[in-house]
Amino acid sequence: MINKIPYTSYQGKASDLCRKGDAVEFIQPWYTPISTTPDNTGMAVGGVGSAFTLTPNGDTPNFSFIPGIFIDCSQDDIHFNDFYVSVMNIPSIDDLKIKDSVDIGNFLKYYPAKLSQVEYDLCEVLDVIKNSLSSGDFYKTNKSSFDKWNVEFSSKTKLALKQNPNAISTQILVALDFFNGLLVVRSAEMTSLTAVTESAVNESVVNELAAADQNSSQIDSISGSQVEYKALYPMAEYDYKAFDDVVIERKVVSPIVKGDKKLCSLPLHWNHFELKNTGSETRQVTLVQPLKNLIGSTYRKGRDGIQDSACYLTQNPISQKHQIVRRQEGEMRFEGVSLSSESPYGADIEGEVIYGVRAKESLLTSGKVTVSLKSQMYSTQADDQVVAALQTGRTNDAFDRGIYSGREGLSALCVCK
């Protein structure tokens, strides 16, 4: 989609656009209005009557899926455009590292892959794994075990196994899939594409030690000064400069078409990413988006006794249902996840949400673009899964349904390398 009016008065660095002004908040003595600050004000994204607010920082602090009802989720862990990105060198033997020797030791007890040494100390496990990969026989030696354990290999790994099963690069891809986030790429630089707000920066000074103790996040957020924003409704453009040699451009598009009521009312939007390598070395870029399942949620009035439409969201994660969706449309292929609920109870948010990646079939079959999906995971474990995907360039659909009670909140994960 090409915007025929490529100018806007609302543009600039996200840090400037979301900075608080000097004016004192105007509060009427008989009524307190809904908060509208630079931090939580932005463009409506989606169809008419079913949109959310997207700020220059990239936050989604409020939404309205039912016309006339305003939902404030600024204090909740809810994000409709939660994108993360990593940039790394093409994985090599020397660029591999393990996140925790104890965890990988326990993993090898349950899945005893054949390595170059039968006996070794935990402090030697990385060297043993590297030696096994360097031999070129890691996959061949363990193929029957991989089949037995139902190890899920990415499309990139399957292509490499078909073309050159003994290559060192193939063994690395196999190992990254097999160890599933325990073996990662050292050179991976990670960032969240949601810029830190001014209030969050101030609070971080107070909460720095607590956050470090809880290991709440291993991913730094991009600075607002590194984000150039343009409001071009029904489009918004972002230009990210988080990395020295990779420029990321993003265009957010809503289906607002003049004179077409049906298109304008569709509850959808899409993000178009364009990546530019300004350096001389080949770089591997991974985009990751987690999404929480909100189907089954209800609305609670935000301020009792006040005549307005402001509400808060109450999540009711009962019998949530997730499944992978793949569709072919000419030369384009869509791979994503469907999020719904089989709860017997009524809710304010019902139906189905589908999100994923749409790319050219030629790029997917050639291995230049790889899409991997985790259709379901506990929302409390989403941060760890995002980090693992950014450090390896992939994820898988493993989920232990044997201990799922049907009352836990679930999320999904889409990864595009």
Side-chain angles (χ1 to χ4, degrees), residues 60-135:
T60 57
N62 50 69
F63 66 92
S64 178
F65 289 169
I66 296 179
I69 303 295
F70 173 90
I71 307 300
D72 181 359
C73 57
S74 58
Q75 302 302 315
D76 299 320
D77 185 20
I78 296 173
H79 202 321
F80 298 107
N81 268 199
D82 196 14
F83 291 104
Y84 301 83
V85 65
S86 70
V87 175
M88 66 178 74
N89 299 325
I90 301 300
S92 64
I93 293 289
D94 294 334
D95 202 17
L96 298 177
K97 71 172 184 177
I98 57 176
K99 300 183 70 171
D100 189 287
S101 58
V102 175
D103 288 344
I104 207 166
N106 292 332
F107 178 84
L108 287 170
K109 289 179 181 179
Y110 287 102
Y111 303 99
K114 297 177 182 178
L115 302 176
S116 59
Q117 293 178 223
V118 177
E119 296 183 2
Y120 50 85
D121 296 328
L122 285 179
C123 61
E124 303 173 317
V125 65
L126 179 59
D127 291 333
V128 173
I129 292 174
K130 287 182 176 180
N131 291 335
S132 302
L133 302 182
S134 299
S135 68

Side-chain angles (χ1 to χ4, degrees), residues 139-320:
Y139 174 75
K140 181 180 178 181
T141 303
N142 292 281
K143 183 180 183 306
S144 59
S145 296
F146 292 155
D147 293 338
K148 176 183 177 182
W149 299 329
N150 294 317
V151 176
E152 180 183 338
F153 294 116
S154 69
S155 58
K156 176 77 171 180
T157 304
K158 292 178 180 177
L159 181 63
L161 287 171
K162 182 178 180 180
Q163 294 177 342
N164 195 346
N166 297 320
I168 303 300
S169 58
T170 302
Q171 310 307 309
I172 293 174
L173 292 173
V174 169
L176 290 174
D177 286 347
F178 170 62
F179 287 108
N180 194 24
L182 298 176
L183 182 72
V184 300
V185 180
R186 187 188 305 275
S187 64
E189 303 174 62
M190 306 178 292
T191 189
S192 167
L193 293 185
T194 302
V196 179
T197 62
E198 182 178 299
S199 57
V201 171
N202 295 333
E203 291 175 2
S204 67
V205 177
V206 179
N207 298 328
E208 184 176 357
L209 293 177
D213 291 339
Q214 297 173 6
N215 193 26
S216 60
S217 177
Q218 303 175 53
I219 309 172
D220 293 330
S221 293
I222 191 172
S223 168
S225 61
Q226 296 174 307
V227 181
E228 288 285 340
Y229 174 83
K230 289 182 181 180
L232 298 161
Y233 188 79
M235 294 183 283
E237 294 183 357
Y238 293 82
D239 189 352
Y240 303 98
K241 294 181 174 61
F243 306 99
D244 294 335
D245 54 354
V246 175
V247 176
I248 303 172
E249 296 179 358
R250 168 189 170 203
K251 183 182 292 184
V252 189
V253 186
S254 298
I256 307 301
V257 179
K258 181 180 178 181
D260 195 322
K261 296 179 181 179
K262 184 177 181 180
L263 275 179
C264 290
S265 62
L266 289 177
L268 63 85
H269 75 286
W270 62 94
N271 291 269
H272 180 87
F273 284 91
E274 184 174 331
L275 311 175
K276 296 180 181 178
N277 185 351
T278 60
S280 57
E281 300 292 329
T282 302
R283 303 284 269 164
Q284 177 176 297
V285 180
T286 303
L287 280 167
V288 177
Q289 184 190 10
L291 186 64
K292 186 173 294 186
N293 188 345
L294 301 182
I295 304 299
S297 299
T298 55
Y299 301 156
R300 181 185 183 278
K301 188 72 167 62
R303 301 184 294 184
D304 298 343
I306 297 180
Q307 189 177 4
D308 63 18
S309 62
C311 295
Y312 295 120
L313 189 71
T314 300
Q315 297 181 60
N316 302 302
I318 301 174
S319 300
Q320 294 184 333

Side-chain angles (χ1 to χ4, degrees), residues 331-334 357-361 363-364 369 371 416:
E331 64 175 8
M332 305 298 290
R333 189 201 306 175
F334 175 86
V357 180
R358 186 171 182 263
K360 287 185 177 181
E361 174 75 15
L363 295 176
L364 292 166
V369 173
V371 177
C416 180

Side-chain angles (χ1 to χ4, degrees), residues 39-63:
D39 276 356
N40 62 18
T41 303
M43 178 184 290
V45 174
V48 175
S50 57
F52 60 86
T53 296
L54 180 63
T55 71
N57 276 334
D59 294 302
T60 57
N62 50 69
F63 66 92

